[in-house]
Amino acid sequence: MTILSSERVGSLPEKLTISFWIWGFMCGKPGNVYSDLDRRMLELKERGFNCVRLDSGAGFCHDLSGRRLGDVRLLDPFAGHSQLIRQMSVLTGGARFDVMEAILALFEAARRHGVVVILSSWYYLHTYWVATESRNELLLGLPYEERYMAFAKLLGFIIDELTARGLDSQLAFAEIFNEADGLPPLGYGCQDKALLAQQRGFHEDALTFLREKYPKLLFALDTCTPNVQPEFFPRNMQVWNAHSYYIWPRSYAQFEQDMFSAKLDNPEYSESFAKISRFLKTPLNTLDDIEGSRAGMAQAGLNWTRRVWLYSNLNDAALPELEAMLSKQLDADVAVYKARVDDWARRFTELRQSVIGDVPLVMGEAASYCAANSMRWEEKSDAYWEIIEYAVLTLKKLGFWGCMPRTTSGPEDPSWTECPERLRHLNELFLAP
């Protein structure tokens, strides 16, 4: 399978090595790590990447009629805590600026440096966290059956602005939504075939709109897992971008799940809390503190509220013990993780043969998500990098068009400065003939 056989593709790279700049549209925020885009693009290339994937800013660039919004206010998602959390730290303090101009600046820098961009939208998963109440009332208030077409049009308005400046040349492909298989009314792991087919119909209509309007561009289905029910695949998708967090659930299970299942309102009596309380500071921020940081804003998902609560309460003095525990567990389970990669790869192969046909495959998020900027055990673990290398080579063997070695791979992440050689090695492995 080769993406370059399509007339739509033009001069896109034969293979995509993808870095995750999820909220890179914050480059319009003064002092943000993404503000110096030329420097970031040079560093991107030095690490072997040729592509970035980020939120398109849909919902913040235009209204539903296509009118430019101009300067908009973006909020701090968890004021007082965001700076502690990986990727979210770039959102600390919020900002007011023109998101469309920021996207244009990013694409112009991409053109200068020969980098391509994948646009997606996390609005209904995460990005609404930074939206004002009035923006959320409008977009969260859209009925589920209208959301695909509404965001297809919002994406189209952005593409129109790119095209007017000749910047559409840097668009690798676009997705209406990130992890469409997890959005409401489905929810992750939905098995309701009728509901899956209904949402597929909405998605297909929106993709038809985009493909007819932009016949030379590529539009993708993005899913949180390769374990997608056949009823959900839009038959007119042109790329399948799936994620595989083959390390995350098991690696952090003992720590995160013990805490998430604890009786948070009365933790001193929780057996789960007792297992990990030595890793947390005292006095604790409460869950109410985290929820209170979003006062007057739309509620964030419970799992993310708890995750921010947990990692904002880490005791720095206990980090060496915690990291040693997690690293030891990973060392013991290398074969388990490689088997997970193999199982996931088989699922991709089966679905490609039986359902989706010869469309390009991309892994657009991967491995794990270590929420705390203060934790570095992954970066220091040879076993961790060995597992990722195994996954990258598996993708290469399967003929994937695009690969993201790990989700936490943007300029705001500690690995950007601490592990540039590791990132370059993985990307070179994928790109090699």
Side-chain angles (χ1 to χ4, degrees):
M1 176 174 57
T2 172
I3 183 66
L4 295 180
S5 64
S6 169
E7 293 180 0
R8 294 186 301 271
V9 176
S11 59
L12 292 178
E14 184 175 354
K15 292 182 181 179
L16 302 176
T17 48
I18 308 164
S19 178
F20 200 38
W21 294 16
I22 177 172
W23 286 303
F25 68 78
M26 293 291 283
C27 63
K29 176 182 176 180
N32 188 276
V33 67
Y34 288 105
S35 295
D36 189 345
L37 285 168
D38 284 307
R39 181 177 178 183
R40 297 292 88 86
M41 292 290 178
L42 287 170
E43 293 170 350
L44 182 88
K45 300 289 287 291
E46 289 168 358
R47 287 153 181 78
F49 294 107
N50 61 22
C51 179
V52 298
R53 180 169 179 256
L54 73 153
D55 192 301
S56 66
F60 299 106
C61 295
H62 307 86
D63 64 19
L64 291 172
S65 69
R67 181 183 63 87
R68 267 275 207 123
L69 295 178
D71 281 358
V72 296
R73 184 184 176 207
L74 303 180
L75 308 175
D76 189 326
F78 296 94
H81 310 283
S82 307
Q83 75 277 9
L84 304 172
I85 307 300
R86 293 207 189 207
Q87 298 176 317
M88 207 178 298
S89 57
V90 301
L91 304 173
T92 300
R96 186 175 185 90
F97 62 93
D98 189 318
V99 175
M100 188 67 244
E101 288 299 322
I103 292 289
L104 292 171
L106 188 146
F107 268 79
E108 287 165 353
R111 181 167 59 184
R112 287 194 295 273
H113 295 275
V115 170
V116 294
V117 181
I118 300 167
L119 290 180
S120 189
S121 174
W122 283 256
Y123 191 91
Y124 289 111
L125 290 173
H126 309 309
T127 308
Y128 77 86
W129 295 346
V130 303
T132 60
E133 188 174 5
S134 59
R135 191 103 293 256
N136 276 329
E137 283 181 354
L138 175 66
L139 296 177
L140 294 181
L142 288 174
Y144 297 135
E145 61 268 21
E146 296 179 15
R147 291 183 178 185
Y148 276 105
M149 188 59 76
F151 270 75
K153 290 179 179 178
L154 290 171
L155 174 60
F157 300 144
I158 293 168
I159 292 173
D160 288 341
E161 301 233 22
L162 295 172
T163 302
R165 295 161 178 80
L167 295 170
D168 54 326
S169 60
Q170 306 312 120
L171 185 61
F173 61 88
E175 308 156 0
I176 298 173
F177 289 125
N178 173 75
E179 296 190 353
D181 55 333
L183 293 177
L186 298 176
Y188 294 105
C190 177
Q191 301 294 310
D192 185 330
K193 293 185 177 182
L195 185 57
L196 289 164
Q198 178 201 56
Q199 295 302 302
R200 182 189 84 196
F202 298 146
H203 202 169
E204 286 177 342
D205 289 345
L207 288 173
T208 296
F209 166 80
L210 288 168
R211 290 189 59 179
E212 289 179 352
K213 191 173 182 182
Y214 310 103
K216 295 184 179 181
L217 299 179
L218 295 169
F219 297 95
L221 166 69
D222 184 272
T223 64
C224 71
T225 170
N227 295 308
V228 180
Q229 296 300 313
E231 292 78 11
F232 187 66
F233 284 100
R235 298 314 193 250
N236 55 349
M237 67 192 232
Q238 295 163 288
V239 179
W240 182 20
N241 180 9
H243 311 162
S244 181
Y245 285 104
Y246 47 86
I247 293 177
W248 188 3
R250 183 179 177 91
S251 180
Y252 292 96
Q254 180 177 343
F255 186 57
E256 285 195 1
Q257 295 307 317
D258 280 350
M259 194 61 255
F260 293 172
S261 64
K263 297 176 182 177
L264 297 177
D265 58 336
N266 201 2
E268 61 267 33
Y269 294 110
S270 166
E271 182 180 350
S272 295
F273 181 84
K275 293 179 183 177
I276 65 164
S277 59
R278 67 187 185 279
F279 301 126
L280 304 180
K281 66 185 182 182
T282 54
L284 287 172
N285 297 316
T286 68
L287 201 61
D288 287 342
D289 293 331
I290 306 303
E291 292 175 341
S293 71
R294 293 193 54 77
M297 302 159 66
Q299 271 196 331
L302 178 59
N303 274 355
W304 278 96
T305 301
R306 287 178 169 179
R307 186 166 287 115
V308 172
W309 172 84
L310 175 60
Y311 287 98
S312 71
N313 277 310
L314 289 181
N315 177 2
D316 290 342
L319 275 182
E321 181 189 355
L322 172 60
E323 293 189 307
M325 180 187 79
L326 294 171
S327 185
K328 182 179 180 180
Q329 177 185 327
L330 186 72
D331 289 344
D333 287 343
V334 169
V336 175
Y337 291 117
K338 289 182 178 179
R340 281 174 172 260
V341 171
D342 291 338
D343 289 343
W344 162 82
R346 277 194 292 272
R347 182 61 172 163
F348 256 121
T349 302
E350 291 167 0
L351 286 167
R352 183 172 64 189
Q353 291 174 345
S354 63
V355 181
I356 64 174
D358 192 27
V359 302
L361 300 177
V362 172
M363 183 170 72
E365 294 180 31
S368 65
Y369 174 74
C370 177
N373 276 315
S374 59
M375 293 176 68
R376 299 287 206 281
W377 75 274
E378 288 184 349
E379 286 81 4
K380 298 173 184 175
S381 168
D382 288 336
Y384 170 85
W385 293 104
E386 177 187 340
I387 296 163
I388 293 181
E389 180 171 317
Y390 182 83
V392 169
L393 290 173
T394 300
L395 297 186
K396 180 180 176 180
K397 181 173 63 177
L398 289 174
F400 268 59
W401 179 34
C403 172
M404 181 181 290
R406 60 181 247 157
T407 292
T408 46
S409 58
E412 77 285 350
D413 191 74
S415 68
W416 188 263
T417 52
E418 294 177 8
C419 311
E421 297 85 4
R422 298 267 203 184
L423 295 170
R424 183 174 185 86
H425 171 69
L426 293 169
N427 287 326
E428 287 178 343
L429 282 179
F430 184 69
L431 292 172

